[in-house]
Amino acid sequence: MVTIKDKTFVPFISAEVIQARIQELAGQINEDYAHRQPLIVIVLNGAFIFAADLVKHLTIPCEITFIRVASYAATESSGQVKEILGLTDTIAGRDLILVEDIVDTGLTISEVCSQLQAQNPASLAVTTLLFKPDALKKPLDLSYVGFEIENRFVLGYGLDYDGWGRNTKDILVLES
Ligand code: 5GP
C-alpha cells in the first residue's frame, strides 16, 4: 500500500510484467516496420518512462521526437480544445508511431491523430501502454496496446496523481 498525497494506492501491474510486455510490443513493431524508418512521437509527460523502455528494444532505424498536448476550454459548445505543442519535425510522408501512456475516453488521442493526419503522414499508428475500453467515448484504432485495464484510476511508471507518483517501477491502482 502506498499513500500519494491524500490517496491510497495498491499494486496493480508489476515492473516485471510491464517489462515483459514492452519487449513483446517492441518485437511486434520491429517486425511491422522492418523496412521502414518511422518517426516515434512520444506524448509527454505520462509516456516518458514507457517510451524510454520501449525504444531501447527497437532495432529498426528510427527518429524520436516529443510533443505535449495542451487542453483548454474554448466555448461550452465546443468543449475542450487540444493543441499539439513542440512538433517541429516535418511529418508529411513519414511513418509515425505515436506513443501514449493511457487511453481513457480516447478524446485526447483521437484529436491528436486528426491534427497529425491533416499534415499527411504516410501512416500513423498508436501505441499505448494502458487502455480502458469501458471508458472509451470514440472509436479508435490502437495498433499496439500494452494492457487493457478496467476503468479505475492508475498511477506510477510515468503516470501521475496531481503531479506526484510518476517515479514508481510498478503501476498502482487507487484503492477501492
Ligand atoms: P483521454 O483523453 O483518453 O480521456 O485521457 C488521456 C489522458 O488522461 C492520459 O494521457 C492521462 O494523462 C489521463 N488519464 C486518464 N486515465 C488516467 C488514469 O487512470 N491515471 C492517470 N494517472 N492519468 C489518467
Side-chain angles (χ1 to χ4, degrees):
M1 212 189 289
V2 182
T3 301
I4 309 274
K5 289 191 82 179
D6 55 341
K7 301 221 184 298
T8 305
F9 292 83
V10 292
F12 191 53
I13 308 176
S14 72
E16 292 72 26
V17 171
I18 296 168
Q19 293 304 324
R21 183 69 186 124
I22 287 176
Q23 288 198 28
E24 289 176 358
L25 291 179
Q28 268 178 272
I29 294 172
N30 286 331
E31 271 184 30
D32 296 349
Y33 288 80
H35 304 292
R36 289 183 280 175
Q37 302 191 348
L39 174 63
I40 315 285
V41 182
I42 297 168
V43 185
L44 297 174
N45 294 331
F48 79 109
I49 298 182
F50 166 49
D53 284 343
L54 181 75
V55 300
K56 281 188 265 184
H57 297 290
L58 295 182
T59 50
I60 45 170
C62 58
E63 280 185 281
I64 299 174
T65 193
F66 303 88
I67 61 168
R68 275 169 183 270
V69 182
S71 304
Y72 53 91
T75 61
E76 263 180 41
S77 56
S78 64
Q80 290 259 301
V81 174
K82 314 270 185 209
E83 186 187 356
I84 298 177
L85 304 177
L87 189 66
T88 50
D89 309 71
T90 303
I91 63 169
R94 298 295 308 267
D95 292 302
L96 303 184
I97 304 178
L98 202 55
V99 182
E100 251 290 20
D101 54 352
I102 186 164
V103 174
D104 185 50
T105 62
L107 297 176
T108 305
I109 207 70
S110 72
E111 181 57 31
V112 169
C113 285
S114 61
Q115 290 188 29
L116 294 175
Q117 290 287 16
Q119 296 183 48
N120 300 313
S123 66
L124 174 57
V126 177
T127 308
T128 184
L129 178 64
L130 302 168
F131 172 42
K132 296 182 189 172
D134 295 340
L136 196 67
K137 289 195 174 157
K138 260 192 166 182
L140 262 186
D141 186 12
L142 301 173
S143 301
Y144 308 96
V145 174
F147 304 94
E148 285 195 6
I149 61 169
E150 53 203 290
N151 195 4
R152 294 170 69 188
F153 188 81
V154 292
L155 149 151
Y157 194 68
L159 289 106
D160 73 312
Y161 164 49
D162 208 12
W164 296 86
R166 293 191 196 274
N167 55 314
T168 66
K169 287 189 185 137
D170 304 319
I171 295 173
L172 312 174
V173 67
L174 187 62
E175 195 181 41
S176 49

